[in-house]
Amino acid sequence: MPVLVACCLHILCLNVSPSVLCLHCTVCMCLNYASIHVSPVPQPPTITLQSPKDYIFDPRENIVIHCEAKGKPSPSFSWTRNGTHFDVEKDSKVLMKPGSGTLVIDISGEKAEAYEGTYQCTAHNEHGTAVSNSIVIRQSRSPLWSKERNEAITVQVGAFLVLQCRPPAGLPPPVIFWMDNSELPLDKRVSQALNGDLYFSNVLPEDTRSDYICYARFPHTQTIQQKQPISVTVLNSKSRLWTDSPEGERRPGFMLPLGPTSTKMVLRGDTLELECIAEGLPTPEISWTKDGGELPSSRMSFHNFKKTLKISDVNEADAGDYRCTATNNLGIAHHIIKVTVKGMNLILAPNETGILTCRVNGEPKPKISWFVNGVPIENVPEEHGRKVEDDTVILSNVQSGSSAVYQCNASNEFGYLLANAFVNVLAEPPRVLTPPNQVYQVITNNSDQTAIKDGDSYVIHENGTLEISVAQLLNSGKYTCIATNNLGIKENHVFLEVKEPTRILKQPEYKVVQRGMSAMFECKVKHDPSLIPTMTWLKDNGELFEVDTDSLTIKDVTDVDEGTYTCIMNTTLDQDSASAMLTVVEKPDPPSDLELTDQTERSVQLTWIPGDEHNSPTQKFLIQYEDLLHQPGVWINLTEVAGTSTTAQLNLSPYVYYSFRVLAQNRVGHSDPSQPSRQYRTSPAAPDENPSDVQGVGTEPGNLVITWTPLTGFQSNGPGLEYRVQWRQKDMDDEWSSKNVANVSQFIVSGTPTFVPYEIKVQALNDYGSGPEPEVVTGYSGEDFPVSGPDSVQVMVHNGTLAEVHWEPVLSPSVRGKLQGYKVYYRRERGLHETEMDKDQQDQVLTFSGNRSEGRLPGLQPYSLYSLFITVLNNKGEGPPSTSKTFETPEGVPGPPSFLKVINPGLDSLTLEWGSPVNNNGRLTGYTLKYQPVNNTNELGPAKVMSFLANDTTVTLGNLNSSMLYKFYLSAKTIKGSGPIITEEAFTVMDTSESSLHNNNSSFTELVNSSHSHMLKGLKPGTSYKVRVVARDPADPTVHSTDEVVVTVPAVPSRQVDIATQGWFIGLMCAIALLILVLLIVCFIKRNKGGKYPVKEKEDAHQDPEIQPMKEDDGTFGEYSDTEDHKPLKGSRTPSNGTVRRDESDDSLVDYGEGGDGQFNEDGSFIGQYSGKKEKDTHEGNESSEAPSPVNAMNSFV
């Protein structure tokens, strides 16, 4: 049964990404774990450091022979030299370091050869003995290269080639390098192997040399030996050596090592060197992978252009198949190197079985000898369970106390190998070496990895390691490692917290900023909220720029601010970073060193030196000139050239004193101008061009004004500039009239016929000759007013608003100028139903451009008499009018009635009044009225239509519903049909009653609806009131009233009493209800109408309006105020004055009085007569005065 000495729980990440979590439950029996190093358990000696087996020493330096070992307890050391005991203390030149077996031999003043020999170190404690390698100490020597004759090598271009070195075996081995007349450069194609041979993946013609020399440098003796030169000739044949690829190209193949596979053995802790050299054309690229695993990035390095892979501090995990891949565009080649890592030590528990194996290769086959604690195994006491089989020692059922150090010696006639391995038999109960309840934090793995090793997210390795392949938030929690053996049990708890990773969500962006401006980098980060983040900004990965802000602002940027800015977000577990460049740009510096070359009369070459571009490439150069003769101080753009040019060929003009300057332009802007060039003068010459924009236009009858744009001084080409003006009447074959004028811009020709064409030429000339032959342009002499108007004016009337007029165009001679068009003047004289002319009408004018003979007159008024005349128009003005023409327009539909309003609303009737249209547009034949009721939901009821004569302007509509909204539509009509309608809305009056009461001090009135009862509120306790009910009909002036009833309100006792439960209150209410009922019966009989008015329904549909109390000073009834917002029907017009809206009434007791007191006399009758008082404000038809609504209104008594 295994014996577990200790169980320690570690959370480590062994060469994996931070997202892979490894929980190590390390059993201390596994020696390779660091926890053993601090464990106090017994341990046989182990050699940890020793000198190489072949120790070549420099006779000028001391000899240092290393021997370090560990063990529990610490071992003691002894040495043998040449197989016999070496007494260190007897030789004063030899010193052993304290606590170590390392020897230091001082050979100064001594013969170094005296200390040559074979040394071996022994480390011993009570648990065993370990011995070092046999270390052969020899003095450094540099042997000569053996004489040999090297044959000249001839090779075809593109083939591979190997030049062997085979240096002499020096002490120590020499450093190899190749040279011809200088050191030979190495690259991917030409490389040197570890053994010193020179490899060509493919040869080129330039590889032909007669002196390839391999050199061996011996470091201790400071001497260099050389091999005989090797001659190489590369044949550049045009023939195809490889027919399957063009020009001799071929797939990769391996020159070293040979074959598809090879093997390599390395001891744990040593450095592994793997080498692959491939041939092919093109030169192959080399890459390395490990089958079924990853290369240890922290311990590996590539050399010799990736042809050599080195892995330091090798452990068992480094064993496996390493794949070397050579690739070019024709294919891929692979070579697999099988690497084995040998461990040395064996830890066993009592009764376990262990095996020690010593496998070696050699030719001839090595002989293997075993030693125990440095003693041949055949000379030590025989131990039960130990069995030796050639290269293997089998230890069965080991017991406590059988720990020892075993040595394997493999030798043949060329040398030997010695390896130590201790066998440690331990019997200890488990012990936890790590602190308990430790908290470990890792970052979750947010990759797309879904495959889990062995199908489980948790993997327990043989050595107790707990591995979580993909750490997620759900893996957080408490973990317990339990170690047990037959001697005891021990457990330890750890806590795992899986955190969200730190990620930069918004990286800083590349900035191009002009000098003097500001630059801002943003770095938005997301991190686990439980971790404390720290933001750091670096410039060029060195300077600490700013800390703890997610944005970095650089103000007033200068050139020194340019560089790479990196934001780094750190937490205690991970970090993320992102970088961006800042480029500072500025407008370019001005060019310099302007120089004029290749000078001619009309051209010169200008060259310059560009200024600093300031990180923004120059887009173009702008060349300007100054004319010191004609426009001094004014710089004019001459030409532009590309930003890559530094020279320009400039075309020049005669008679100019030139000075040039250059400006550079980049994305930021233009540079300052360069310094001016030296002055360059061109000689005078005749003009190269004539004036431009030559025109001939008459300004008055009988003249022709010839104008042009004069030449500039720059264009004059010489002194004495003037113009030769020539003209003649077109198509007349006359001679040219000519006149030379000074440097002006116009010339006037007098005495010309009216508006005739002229041919015109203007030529420039100076003291050196005339300009080119000028072009002929056509102009016209001055215009005059037209002499006649159009004839045969005819009018065609299409309808009441549109007519079409026709005329005969005038002849061209009568126009006496350029025809611009015709003007038609027309006006409305009167309506056909009118007898007098309308003197207020103004002429209307329409202009028809061009040579027209007809036009349309829109917007006419029907049933009217019109007159018109036409004039001709040219640039001078209008000619005389044509003969006046009159025409009539037919009848049309009339305009809308001028107004529509509702007056005298009653309970079942409404009176409408309207006005005739402003524009009848014909003989009015009558009016059409349509009306329909509107219910509470704004739905329209059935419509009724009525027709009226032309002289009707009012109508009373009867048999209408009370308290109902009606909508009216009215239009006028002629024989052509009905015109536009106008609308109006109005309410019929509500059916209402009033109740009145008064005491000796004041009187009150409340309006009630047609119900049979009414409650009076606000009465004073202990007060007597007289009550009566009054009813009226707005259509009938008669007032109906009940007798007065005296009602006394009982006094209220000191304690609160519910008035609604008092008998007197109930009796009062019953009396009032009875009075109201009698009054209503009398009123209904009087009117002889049995229909009921839907007042109650209207009350329920609307809120009670507010009723202001009566005035206390005169006892009159106050006006009722309705605050409800009545909204008219969509599309309807606002009711006119006098209309009654729903829930409104314009009648009250006050309306029937004369404004006097409304008090009662002794017999209960009203003082004063009732008279109808109506509100008739003369406002616009779209407005109305809204009468107060008394529905359900209750007044509180003062």
Side-chain angles (χ1 to χ4, degrees):
M1 177 178 180
V3 178
L4 299 183
V5 177
C7 181
C8 42
L9 183 61
H10 300 276
I11 294 186
L12 302 172
C13 287
L14 300 178
N15 299 320
V16 292
S17 63
S19 60
V20 177
L21 172 65
C22 300
L23 297 180
H24 284 270
C25 182
T26 304
V27 179
C28 295
M29 290 174 62
C30 300
L31 186 61
N32 57 317
Y33 284 79
S35 58
I36 296 303
H37 297 172
V38 296
S39 174
V41 298
Q43 178 181 330
T46 302
I47 302 295
T48 59
L49 177 64
Q50 56 184 322
S51 293
K53 291 183 294 182
D54 289 323
Y55 185 164
I56 312 300
F57 66 89
D58 188 339
R60 295 167 296 180
E61 299 177 356
N62 290 340
I63 301 173
V64 180
I65 310 175
H66 293 284
C67 181
E68 304 286 346
K70 65 179 180 179
K72 294 295 181 180
S74 298
S76 59
F77 298 90
S78 61
W79 284 88
T80 62
R81 184 171 71 175
N82 297 328
T84 61
H85 178 69
F86 179 45
D87 193 347
V88 175
E89 295 179 357
K90 289 185 178 181
D91 193 333
S92 60
K93 296 291 185 176
V94 180
L95 174 66
M96 182 184 294
K97 290 184 178 181
S100 167
T102 299
L103 297 181
V104 180
I105 303 175
D106 183 6
I107 59 174
S108 59
E110 297 290 336
K111 289 185 178 182
E113 294 84 351
Y115 289 96
E116 289 185 333
T118 301
Y119 292 77
Q120 191 169 33
C121 173
T122 301
H124 176 77
N125 68 8
E126 60 189 56
H127 301 288
T129 300
V131 295
S132 71
N133 292 328
S134 293
I135 304 170
V136 178
I137 306 297
R138 289 178 290 177
Q139 184 177 342
S140 175
R141 295 176 178 85
S142 52
L144 296 177
W145 219 301
S146 60
K147 295 293 182 179
E148 60 180 345
R149 181 182 180 87
N150 294 325
E151 298 291 337
I153 298 176
T154 301
V155 64
Q156 195 73 34
V157 64
F160 65 89
L161 175 64
V162 181
L163 300 182
Q164 294 181 342
C165 181
R166 293 198 292 267
L171 294 176
V175 177
I176 305 301
F177 58 94
W178 286 80
M179 297 182 65
D180 48 8
N181 56 354
S182 61
E183 187 169 356
L184 194 67
L186 302 179
D187 53 25
K188 291 191 298 182
R189 186 179 65 87
V190 181
S191 57
Q192 179 180 309
L194 295 176
N195 63 1
D197 291 347
L198 189 63
Y199 285 81
F200 293 79
S201 296
N202 52 78
V203 294
L204 301 176
E206 53 265 31
D207 293 328
T208 298
R209 288 184 179 88
S210 61
D211 54 352
Y212 283 95
I213 303 174
C214 179
Y215 290 87
R217 180 171 60 85
F218 297 91
H220 286 342
T221 60
Q222 300 298 317
T223 59
I224 297 177
Q225 302 288 339
Q226 73 176 51
K227 183 182 179 73
Q228 291 296 319
I230 302 175
S231 175
V232 175
T233 301
V234 179
L235 300 180
N236 190 6
S237 175
K238 296 182 180 179
S239 61
R240 297 267 303 272
L241 297 181
W242 298 272
T243 58
D244 59 341
S245 300
E247 301 299 330
E249 292 186 353
R250 63 186 184 281
R251 294 166 55 89
F254 285 99
M255 297 185 287
L256 182 73
L258 298 175
T261 61
S262 59
T263 60
K264 183 77 172 182
M265 190 274 290
V266 64
L267 297 178
R268 185 192 324 120
D270 286 353
T271 297
L272 172 64
E273 283 187 325
L274 302 178
E275 186 176 36
C276 264
I277 300 179
E279 55 89 10
L281 186 65
T283 302
E285 297 282 345
I286 302 296
S287 61
W288 293 86
T289 57
K290 183 181 179 183
D291 292 350
E294 296 182 358
L295 297 176
S297 57
S298 61
R299 296 181 290 114
M300 76 169 188
S301 59
F302 293 109
H303 303 273
N304 195 17
F305 306 97
K306 297 190 73 173
K307 299 177 183 180
T308 302
L309 170 64
K310 288 187 178 181
I311 300 177
S312 60
D313 194 19
V314 172
N315 57 50
E316 285 81 356
D318 296 321
D321 293 346
Y322 288 78
R323 184 181 298 270
C324 171
T325 303
T327 306
N328 66 12
N329 57 7
L330 296 181
I332 299 176
H334 299 281
H335 182 87
I336 296 177
I337 305 176
K338 298 180 179 294
V339 175
T340 57
V341 178
K342 293 297 184 179
M344 290 305 204
N345 304 314
L346 186 61
I347 300 176
L348 300 174
N351 300 319
E352 279 191 332
T353 297
I355 298 175
L356 294 176
T357 302
C358 183
R359 290 200 175 95
V360 293
N361 291 322
E363 187 63 36
K365 184 178 180 180
K367 176 184 178 182
I368 294 177
S369 302
W370 289 95
F371 296 81
V372 178
N373 294 330
V375 179
I377 195 168
E378 57 270 13
N379 296 336
V380 299
E382 185 175 350
E383 188 173 306
H384 177 71
R386 183 172 62 200
K387 182 179 180 182
V388 178
E389 295 180 354
D390 194 18
D391 61 353
T392 303
V393 175
I394 302 174
L395 303 173
S396 303
N397 298 319
V398 296
Q399 300 299 318
S400 300
S402 59
S403 298
V405 178
Y406 287 74
Q407 289 87 29
C408 170
N409 187 303
S411 61
N412 62 13
E413 58 187 88
F414 296 101
Y416 74 96
L417 291 173
L418 180 67
N420 284 275
F422 70 72
V423 176
N424 197 3
V425 181
L426 299 177
E428 296 285 341
R431 285 181 291 168
V432 176
L433 304 181
T434 55
N437 300 319
Q438 199 162 350
V439 178
Y440 299 94
Q441 296 178 333
V442 296
I443 297 298
T444 184
N445 185 345
N446 286 332
S447 66
D448 296 332
Q449 180 181 357
T450 57
I452 302 299
K453 184 177 179 181
D454 298 332
D456 191 353
S457 59
Y458 295 97
V459 178
I460 300 178
H461 295 271
E462 292 182 359
N463 61 359
T465 299
L466 175 62
E467 177 184 342
I468 301 178
S469 302
V470 181
Q472 299 292 339
L473 294 176
L474 55 86
N475 298 125
S476 299
K478 178 181 177 181
Y479 290 80
T480 302
C481 173
I482 302 175
T484 180
N485 63 11
N486 57 357
L487 299 178
I489 184 172
K490 194 69 177 180
E491 66 179 30
N492 192 24
H493 307 289
V494 296
F495 298 89
L496 173 63
E497 296 178 359
V498 182
K499 305 293 185 180
E500 291 287 347
T502 301
R503 292 291 179 266
I504 293 180
L505 303 179
K506 181 180 180 182
Q507 298 185 356
E509 298 176 350
Y510 173 70
K511 300 287 184 182
V512 178
V513 181
Q514 187 176 352
R515 185 192 303 158
M517 305 299 287
S518 295
M520 186 178 74
F521 293 104
E522 285 188 308
C523 190
K524 301 298 182 183
V525 183
K526 178 184 178 182
H527 61 87
D528 192 285
S530 64
L531 301 178
I532 299 176
T534 302
M535 175 69 77
T536 303
W537 287 89
L538 300 180
K539 179 177 182 291
D540 296 329
N541 293 323
E543 176 186 355
L544 181 65
F545 208 89
E546 196 168 329
V547 179
D548 287 342
T549 57
D550 59 3
S551 65
L552 176 65
T553 302
I554 306 170
K555 298 181 179 179
D556 193 18
V557 170
T558 63
D559 292 338
V560 298
D561 296 319
E562 190 169 271
T564 301
Y565 290 83
T566 303
C567 65
I568 303 175
M569 174 58 77
N570 286 287
T571 65
T572 55
L573 294 183
D574 67 340
Q575 73 170 32
D576 199 5
S577 64
S579 300
M581 284 282 296
L582 172 62
T583 300
V584 180
V585 298
E586 182 57 283
K587 63 182 183 180
D589 289 343
S592 60
D593 295 339
L594 272 64
E595 184 178 352
L596 299 175
T597 58
D598 299 340
Q599 302 170 4
T600 66
E601 287 294 328
R602 292 298 186 99
S603 68
V604 69
Q605 182 171 285
L606 175 66
T607 59
W608 61 90
I609 297 177
D612 192 341
E613 294 181 332
H614 296 295
N615 293 325
S616 181
T618 301
Q619 297 171 335
K620 60 184 177 180
F621 290 100
L622 173 63
I623 302 172
Q624 298 178 331
Y625 73 90
E626 178 188 19
D627 185 354
L628 297 172
L629 178 61
H630 303 102
Q631 289 181 293
V634 178
W635 289 93
I636 301 171
N637 294 341
L638 178 59
T639 186
E640 292 179 348
V641 297
T644 57
S645 299
T646 59
T647 182
Q649 191 72 25
L650 306 179
N651 296 321
L652 307 180
S653 296
Y655 196 52
V656 178
Y657 295 175
Y658 281 101
S659 182
F660 301 99
R661 69 181 187 184
V662 183
L663 294 83
Q665 180 184 352
N666 62 9
R667 194 168 62 90
V668 180
H670 281 95
S671 70
D672 294 333
S674 67
Q675 292 297 318
S677 69
R678 63 179 176 85
Q679 189 180 116
Y680 181 66
R681 299 185 180 187
T682 55
S683 301
D688 292 329
E689 55 186 310
N690 291 312
S692 60
D693 196 23
V694 178
Q695 296 181 357
V697 178
T699 59
E700 296 292 340
N703 80 352
L704 173 64
V705 180
I706 302 174
T707 61
W708 61 89
T709 300
L711 299 180
T712 64
F714 179 82
Q715 295 170 319
S716 65
N717 286 4
L721 178 65
E722 58 183 14
Y723 303 99
R724 180 182 294 119
V725 183
Q726 298 173 283
W727 70 95
R728 70 179 179 183
Q729 192 170 340
K730 190 175 183 181
D731 301 328
M732 296 297 290
D733 294 331
D734 293 339
E735 294 294 328
W736 287 92
S737 300
S738 178
K739 179 71 174 179
N740 286 0
V741 297
N743 190 12
V744 294
S745 62
Q746 74 173 21
F747 176 73
I748 301 176
V749 180
S750 303
T752 62
T754 301
F755 197 67
V756 295
Y758 276 84
E759 292 180 332
I760 303 167
K761 296 191 296 184
V762 180
Q763 185 179 29
L765 60 155
N766 63 16
D767 294 345
Y768 290 84
S770 301
E773 181 64 25
E775 295 182 357
V776 177
V777 297
T778 300
Y780 285 84
S781 58
E783 300 184 35
D784 205 347
F785 292 102
V787 296
S788 64
D791 296 329
S792 303
V793 178
Q794 300 291 331
V795 179
M796 181 185 301
V797 178
H798 289 285
N799 53 48
T801 60
L802 177 66
E804 187 174 327
V805 58
H806 294 259
W807 64 87
E808 188 73 27
V810 297
L811 299 177
S812 296
S814 67
V815 178
R816 300 205 297 179
K818 185 177 181 180
L819 178 63
Q820 298 297 317
Y822 295 87
K823 278 191 174 183
V824 178
Y825 292 82
Y826 64 100
R827 62 178 291 172
R828 182 178 182 271
E829 300 292 345
R830 62 178 175 84
L832 294 181
H833 60 287
E834 300 171 346
T835 57
E836 297 183 359
M837 296 294 182
D838 189 352
K839 297 181 180 180
D840 295 332
Q841 289 287 341
Q842 300 291 327
D843 283 342
Q844 295 176 273
V845 182
L846 285 178
T847 300
F848 299 96
S849 299
N851 192 14
R852 298 278 297 274
S853 62
E854 79 283 336
R856 292 195 168 207
L857 307 179
L860 303 179
Q861 186 172 332
Y863 205 56
S864 301
L865 175 65
Y866 280 88
S867 64
L868 67 80
F869 63 87
I870 306 173
T871 62
V872 181
L873 182 65
N874 66 12
N875 290 325
K876 187 68 175 178
E878 296 182 51
S882 67
T883 304
S884 179
K885 184 75 174 179
T886 61
F887 63 94
E888 297 177 355
T889 56
E891 291 188 57
V893 297
S898 57
F899 69 88
L900 173 63
K901 61 182 179 181
V902 179
I903 60 176
N904 300 328
L907 286 174
D908 58 355
S909 64
L910 292 171
T911 299
L912 276 66
E913 186 176 87
W914 62 87
S916 60
V918 176
N919 295 317
N920 288 346
N921 295 338
R923 292 180 294 273
L924 202 64
T925 60
Y927 299 92
T928 300
L929 174 68
K930 184 177 76 169
Y931 66 95
Q932 54 192 140
V934 183
N935 62 16
N936 292 337
T937 60
N938 290 336
E939 296 176 351
L940 296 173
K944 294 183 179 180
V945 180
M946 301 177 65
S947 296
F948 303 96
L949 298 177
N951 57 355
D952 290 337
T953 59
T954 183
V955 66
T956 299
L957 303 176
N959 295 323
L960 303 178
N961 295 330
S962 62
S963 186
M964 174 65 73
L965 175 66
Y966 284 88
K967 187 169 184 179
F968 302 95
Y969 312 86
L970 180 66
S971 63
K973 57 185 177 180
T974 64
I975 60 174
K976 291 293 185 178
S978 298
I981 64 172
I982 62 172
T983 63
E984 188 59 276
E985 295 177 1
F987 282 95
T988 53
V989 176
M990 281 188 180
D991 179 21
T992 59
S993 301
E994 298 176 2
S995 63
S996 302
L997 70 159
H998 69 90
N999 58 13
N1000 294 330
N1001 297 324
S1002 59
S1003 61
F1004 305 91
T1005 300
E1006 292 190 13
L1007 287 149
V1008 299
N1009 56 22
S1010 57
S1011 62
H1012 295 180
S1013 64
H1014 183 67
M1015 180 178 292
L1016 300 176
K1017 297 181 180 180
L1019 304 180
K1020 295 181 179 179
T1023 305
S1024 298
Y1025 293 91
K1026 295 179 180 179
V1027 182
R1028 70 174 179 176
V1029 178
V1030 179
R1032 66 175 175 81
D1033 184 349
D1036 187 354
T1038 304
V1039 178
H1040 305 276
S1041 175
T1042 64
D1043 295 333
E1044 289 186 357
V1045 176
V1046 178
V1047 177
T1048 301
V1049 179
V1052 178
S1054 58
R1055 63 184 180 86
Q1056 291 290 338
V1057 178
D1058 188 359
I1059 190 172
T1061 62
Q1062 302 301 309
W1064 63 268
F1065 180 80
I1066 297 174
L1068 176 62
M1069 293 298 102
C1070 292
I1072 293 174
L1074 181 61
L1075 290 174
I1076 294 174
L1077 178 60
V1078 172
L1079 178 62
L1080 291 177
I1081 293 174
V1082 173
C1083 180
F1084 292 161
I1085 294 174
K1086 183 69 177 178
R1087 292 188 58 179
N1088 196 21
K1089 293 184 178 180
K1092 294 184 180 180
Y1093 300 96
V1095 177
K1096 180 63 178 175
E1097 289 78 5
K1098 304 303 179 182
E1099 292 174 359
D1100 296 339
H1102 301 280
Q1103 298 179 356
D1104 292 342
E1106 297 177 359
I1107 302 178
Q1108 298 181 359
M1110 295 189 307
K1111 301 177 182 178
E1112 293 183 357
D1113 53 352
D1114 57 1
T1116 59
F1117 295 104
E1119 293 184 354
Y1120 299 103
S1121 173
D1122 185 2
T1123 61
E1124 183 176 353
D1125 184 14
H1126 297 286
K1127 298 180 180 178
L1129 211 60
K1130 289 185 179 179
S1132 64
R1133 299 164 63 93
T1134 306
S1136 61
N1137 292 344
T1139 61
V1140 179
R1141 295 179 181 269
R1142 184 185 304 242
D1143 296 342
E1144 297 176 352
S1145 175
D1146 64 347
D1147 50 10
S1148 65
L1149 292 181
V1150 179
D1151 292 335
Y1152 290 89
E1154 295 179 351
D1157 295 342
Q1159 298 179 353
F1160 296 99
N1161 58 15
E1162 291 182 358
D1163 60 358
S1165 62
F1166 279 106
I1167 300 176
Q1169 299 295 323
Y1170 295 101
S1171 62
K1173 180 181 178 182
K1174 307 294 180 181
E1175 295 181 274
K1176 294 183 179 180
D1177 297 337
T1178 58
H1179 294 141
E1180 296 181 7
N1182 287 358
E1183 299 178 357
S1184 67
S1185 298
E1186 297 183 359
S1189 175
V1191 178
N1192 248 359
M1194 309 264 326
N1195 224 4
S1196 60
F1197 292 95
V1198 180

